[in-house]
Short mmCIF file of all heavy atoms in Angstrom, two decimals:
data_model
loop_
_atom_site.label_atom_id
_atom_site.label_comp_id
_atom_site.label_asym_id
_atom_site.label_seq_id
_atom_site.Cartn_x
_atom_site.Cartn_y
_atom_site.Cartn_z
N LEU Z 384 137.04 -173.76 -186.78
CA LEU Z 384 135.76 -173.82 -186.08
C LEU Z 384 135.92 -174.50 -184.72
O LEU Z 384 135.30 -174.09 -183.73
CB LEU Z 384 134.74 -174.58 -186.91
CG LEU Z 384 134.21 -173.88 -188.16
CD1 LEU Z 384 133.28 -174.81 -188.92
CD2 LEU Z 384 133.49 -172.60 -187.79
N MET Z 385 136.74 -175.53 -184.66
CA MET Z 385 136.95 -176.22 -183.38
C MET Z 385 137.59 -175.28 -182.36
O MET Z 385 137.20 -175.26 -181.19
CB MET Z 385 137.83 -177.45 -183.62
CG MET Z 385 137.17 -178.52 -184.50
SD MET Z 385 138.33 -179.80 -185.04
CE MET Z 385 138.46 -180.78 -183.54
N ALA Z 386 138.57 -174.49 -182.80
CA ALA Z 386 139.22 -173.54 -181.89
C ALA Z 386 138.24 -172.46 -181.45
O ALA Z 386 138.28 -172.02 -180.30
CB ALA Z 386 140.43 -172.91 -182.58
N TYR Z 387 137.37 -172.05 -182.36
CA TYR Z 387 136.36 -171.05 -182.00
C TYR Z 387 135.41 -171.58 -180.93
O TYR Z 387 135.10 -170.90 -179.96
CB TYR Z 387 135.57 -170.63 -183.24
CG TYR Z 387 134.32 -169.85 -182.91
CD1 TYR Z 387 134.39 -168.53 -182.48
CD2 TYR Z 387 133.07 -170.45 -183.00
CE1 TYR Z 387 133.24 -167.83 -182.16
CE2 TYR Z 387 131.91 -169.76 -182.68
CZ TYR Z 387 132.00 -168.44 -182.25
OH TYR Z 387 130.87 -167.75 -181.92
N LEU Z 388 134.98 -172.81 -181.08
CA LEU Z 388 134.08 -173.39 -180.09
C LEU Z 388 134.79 -173.57 -178.74
O LEU Z 388 134.19 -173.41 -177.68
CB LEU Z 388 133.55 -174.74 -180.57
CG LEU Z 388 132.58 -174.70 -181.76
CD1 LEU Z 388 132.14 -176.11 -182.12
CD2 LEU Z 388 131.37 -173.84 -181.45
N ALA Z 389 136.09 -173.89 -178.80
CA ALA Z 389 136.84 -174.10 -177.57
C ALA Z 389 137.02 -172.80 -176.79
O ALA Z 389 137.00 -172.79 -175.56
CB ALA Z 389 138.20 -174.72 -177.87
N ASN Z 390 137.18 -171.70 -177.51
CA ASN Z 390 137.38 -170.42 -176.84
C ASN Z 390 136.92 -169.28 -177.74
O ASN Z 390 137.72 -168.66 -178.45
CB ASN Z 390 138.85 -170.21 -176.46
CG ASN Z 390 139.03 -169.06 -175.49
OD1 ASN Z 390 138.09 -168.31 -175.22
ND2 ASN Z 390 140.23 -168.90 -174.97
N PRO Z 391 135.62 -168.97 -177.75
CA PRO Z 391 135.09 -167.94 -178.64
C PRO Z 391 135.51 -166.52 -178.27
O PRO Z 391 135.27 -165.59 -179.03
CB PRO Z 391 133.57 -168.12 -178.51
CG PRO Z 391 133.38 -168.76 -177.18
CD PRO Z 391 134.56 -169.63 -176.97
N ASN Z 392 136.14 -166.34 -177.11
CA ASN Z 392 136.56 -165.00 -176.70
C ASN Z 392 137.76 -164.48 -177.49
O ASN Z 392 138.03 -163.28 -177.49
CB ASN Z 392 136.90 -164.97 -175.21
CG ASN Z 392 135.68 -165.17 -174.34
OD1 ASN Z 392 134.60 -164.72 -174.68
ND2 ASN Z 392 135.84 -165.87 -173.24
N HIS Z 393 138.48 -165.38 -178.12
CA HIS Z 393 139.64 -164.94 -178.90
C HIS Z 393 139.18 -164.23 -180.17
O HIS Z 393 138.08 -164.46 -180.68
CB HIS Z 393 140.52 -166.13 -179.29
CG HIS Z 393 141.48 -166.52 -178.21
ND1 HIS Z 393 142.33 -165.62 -177.62
CD2 HIS Z 393 141.74 -167.71 -177.62
CE1 HIS Z 393 143.07 -166.24 -176.72
NE2 HIS Z 393 142.72 -167.51 -176.68
N ASN Z 394 140.06 -163.39 -180.69
CA ASN Z 394 139.75 -162.71 -181.95
C ASN Z 394 140.72 -163.07 -183.06
O ASN Z 394 140.70 -162.48 -184.13
CB ASN Z 394 139.74 -161.18 -181.75
CG ASN Z 394 141.06 -160.67 -181.20
OD1 ASN Z 394 142.03 -161.41 -181.13
ND2 ASN Z 394 141.07 -159.42 -180.78
N ASP Z 395 141.59 -164.03 -182.80
CA ASP Z 395 142.56 -164.46 -183.81
C ASP Z 395 142.57 -165.98 -183.84
O ASP Z 395 143.05 -166.63 -182.91
CB ASP Z 395 143.94 -163.90 -183.49
CG ASP Z 395 144.99 -164.30 -184.52
OD1 ASP Z 395 144.63 -164.96 -185.52
OD2 ASP Z 395 146.18 -163.95 -184.32
N PHE Z 396 142.04 -166.54 -184.93
CA PHE Z 396 142.00 -168.00 -185.07
C PHE Z 396 142.87 -168.45 -186.24
O PHE Z 396 142.62 -169.46 -186.87
CB PHE Z 396 140.56 -168.47 -185.26
CG PHE Z 396 139.68 -168.20 -184.07
CD1 PHE Z 396 138.87 -167.09 -184.03
CD2 PHE Z 396 139.71 -169.04 -182.97
CE1 PHE Z 396 138.06 -166.82 -182.93
CE2 PHE Z 396 138.91 -168.78 -181.86
CZ PHE Z 396 138.10 -167.67 -181.84
N SER Z 397 143.91 -167.67 -186.52
CA SER Z 397 144.82 -168.04 -187.59
C SER Z 397 145.62 -169.28 -187.20
O SER Z 397 145.82 -169.57 -186.01
CB SER Z 397 145.77 -166.88 -187.90
OG SER Z 397 146.61 -166.62 -186.78
N LEU Z 398 146.10 -169.99 -188.20
CA LEU Z 398 146.85 -171.21 -187.93
C LEU Z 398 148.15 -170.93 -187.16
O LEU Z 398 148.46 -171.67 -186.21
CB LEU Z 398 147.16 -171.93 -189.26
CG LEU Z 398 147.77 -173.33 -189.14
CD1 LEU Z 398 146.85 -174.26 -188.38
CD2 LEU Z 398 148.06 -173.90 -190.53
N PRO Z 399 148.91 -169.88 -187.49
CA PRO Z 399 150.12 -169.62 -186.70
C PRO Z 399 149.84 -169.37 -185.23
O PRO Z 399 150.56 -169.87 -184.36
CB PRO Z 399 150.72 -168.37 -187.38
CG PRO Z 399 150.22 -168.42 -188.77
CD PRO Z 399 148.84 -168.99 -188.67
N ARG Z 400 148.77 -168.62 -184.93
CA ARG Z 400 148.49 -168.33 -183.54
C ARG Z 400 148.05 -169.59 -182.79
O ARG Z 400 148.48 -169.85 -181.66
CB ARG Z 400 147.39 -167.27 -183.43
CG ARG Z 400 147.13 -166.86 -181.99
CD ARG Z 400 145.79 -166.21 -181.79
NE ARG Z 400 145.53 -166.07 -180.36
CZ ARG Z 400 145.11 -167.04 -179.57
NH1 ARG Z 400 144.87 -168.24 -180.08
NH2 ARG Z 400 144.92 -166.86 -178.28
N LEU Z 401 147.19 -170.39 -183.40
CA LEU Z 401 146.72 -171.61 -182.74
C LEU Z 401 147.86 -172.62 -182.60
O LEU Z 401 147.88 -173.39 -181.63
CB LEU Z 401 145.56 -172.20 -183.52
CG LEU Z 401 144.29 -171.34 -183.57
CD1 LEU Z 401 143.25 -171.98 -184.48
CD2 LEU Z 401 143.72 -171.14 -182.17
N ALA Z 402 148.77 -172.63 -183.56
CA ALA Z 402 149.93 -173.52 -183.45
C ALA Z 402 150.76 -173.16 -182.22
O ALA Z 402 151.27 -174.04 -181.52
CB ALA Z 402 150.78 -173.45 -184.71
N LEU Z 403 150.89 -171.88 -181.96
CA LEU Z 403 151.60 -171.44 -180.76
C LEU Z 403 150.87 -171.86 -179.50
O LEU Z 403 151.47 -172.41 -178.56
CB LEU Z 403 151.76 -169.92 -180.79
CG LEU Z 403 152.84 -169.32 -181.67
CD1 LEU Z 403 152.72 -167.81 -181.69
CD2 LEU Z 403 154.21 -169.74 -181.19
N GLU Z 404 149.57 -171.60 -179.47
CA GLU Z 404 148.80 -171.83 -178.25
C GLU Z 404 148.67 -173.31 -177.92
O GLU Z 404 148.85 -173.71 -176.76
CB GLU Z 404 147.41 -171.22 -178.38
CG GLU Z 404 146.55 -171.43 -177.15
CD GLU Z 404 145.20 -170.73 -177.24
OE1 GLU Z 404 144.99 -169.96 -178.20
OE2 GLU Z 404 144.36 -170.95 -176.37
N TYR Z 405 148.35 -174.13 -178.89
CA TYR Z 405 148.04 -175.53 -178.62
C TYR Z 405 149.23 -176.47 -178.81
O TYR Z 405 149.29 -177.52 -178.18
CB TYR Z 405 146.90 -175.99 -179.52
CG TYR Z 405 145.55 -175.47 -179.11
CD1 TYR Z 405 145.06 -174.27 -179.61
CD2 TYR Z 405 144.76 -176.15 -178.18
CE1 TYR Z 405 143.83 -173.77 -179.23
CE2 TYR Z 405 143.53 -175.68 -177.79
CZ TYR Z 405 143.07 -174.48 -178.32
OH TYR Z 405 141.85 -173.99 -177.93
N LEU Z 406 150.15 -176.10 -179.68
CA LEU Z 406 151.23 -177.02 -180.03
C LEU Z 406 152.60 -176.51 -179.61
O LEU Z 406 153.59 -177.24 -179.76
CB LEU Z 406 151.23 -177.27 -181.54
CG LEU Z 406 149.90 -177.70 -182.16
CD1 LEU Z 406 150.03 -177.80 -183.68
CD2 LEU Z 406 149.43 -179.03 -181.57
N GLN Z 407 152.66 -175.25 -179.14
CA GLN Z 407 153.95 -174.62 -178.84
C GLN Z 407 154.88 -174.73 -180.05
O GLN Z 407 156.06 -175.08 -179.95
CB GLN Z 407 154.61 -175.23 -177.61
CG GLN Z 407 153.85 -174.99 -176.33
CD GLN Z 407 152.63 -175.89 -176.19
OE1 GLN Z 407 152.78 -177.09 -176.13
NE2 GLN Z 407 151.45 -175.32 -176.14
N LEU Z 408 154.33 -174.44 -181.19
CA LEU Z 408 155.04 -174.54 -182.46
C LEU Z 408 155.06 -173.18 -183.14
O LEU Z 408 154.01 -172.58 -183.36
CB LEU Z 408 154.33 -175.58 -183.35
CG LEU Z 408 154.90 -175.78 -184.75
CD1 LEU Z 408 156.29 -176.40 -184.67
CD2 LEU Z 408 153.98 -176.68 -185.57
N ARG Z 409 156.25 -172.71 -183.45
CA ARG Z 409 156.39 -171.44 -184.14
C ARG Z 409 156.29 -171.71 -185.64
O ARG Z 409 157.22 -172.20 -186.26
CB ARG Z 409 157.73 -170.79 -183.79
CG ARG Z 409 157.88 -169.38 -184.32
CD ARG Z 409 159.28 -168.83 -184.14
NE ARG Z 409 159.60 -168.58 -182.75
CZ ARG Z 409 160.48 -169.27 -182.05
NH1 ARG Z 409 161.11 -170.28 -182.61
NH2 ARG Z 409 160.75 -168.96 -180.80
N LEU Z 410 155.14 -171.38 -186.20
CA LEU Z 410 154.91 -171.69 -187.61
C LEU Z 410 155.47 -170.63 -188.53
O LEU Z 410 156.11 -170.92 -189.53
CB LEU Z 410 153.40 -171.85 -187.85
CG LEU Z 410 152.98 -172.42 -189.20
CD1 LEU Z 410 153.57 -173.80 -189.40
CD2 LEU Z 410 151.47 -172.48 -189.31
N GLU Z 411 155.23 -169.37 -188.21
CA GLU Z 411 155.71 -168.27 -189.04
C GLU Z 411 156.26 -167.16 -188.15
O GLU Z 411 155.51 -166.28 -187.72
CB GLU Z 411 154.59 -167.71 -189.91
CG GLU Z 411 154.09 -168.70 -190.95
CD GLU Z 411 152.91 -168.13 -191.74
OE1 GLU Z 411 152.56 -166.96 -191.53
OE2 GLU Z 411 152.34 -168.87 -192.52
N PRO Z 412 157.53 -167.22 -187.81
CA PRO Z 412 158.08 -166.20 -186.93
C PRO Z 412 157.96 -164.80 -187.54
O PRO Z 412 158.03 -164.64 -188.76
CB PRO Z 412 159.56 -166.59 -186.81
CG PRO Z 412 159.62 -168.01 -187.25
CD PRO Z 412 158.51 -168.20 -188.23
N GLU Z 413 157.79 -163.83 -186.67
CA GLU Z 413 157.67 -162.44 -187.12
C GLU Z 413 158.95 -162.00 -187.81
O GLU Z 413 160.06 -162.27 -187.35
CB GLU Z 413 157.39 -161.54 -185.92
CG GLU Z 413 157.15 -160.10 -186.30
CD GLU Z 413 156.84 -159.24 -185.09
OE1 GLU Z 413 156.63 -159.80 -184.01
OE2 GLU Z 413 156.82 -158.01 -185.25
N GLY Z 414 158.78 -161.31 -188.92
CA GLY Z 414 159.93 -160.79 -189.64
C GLY Z 414 160.60 -161.82 -190.53
O GLY Z 414 161.63 -161.54 -191.14
#
Side-chain angles (χ1 to χ4, degrees):
L384 289 176
M385 295 168 77
Y387 167 74
L388 291 180
N390 193 352
N392 292 325
H393 276 307
N394 57 10
D395 181 3
F396 296 97
S397 65
L398 189 59
R400 185 200 170 280
L401 295 175
L403 282 173
E404 180 176 353
Y405 286 90
L406 309 175
Q407 294 77 62
L408 177 67
R409 188 188 291 111
L410 190 60
E411 294 176 5
E413 184 178 350

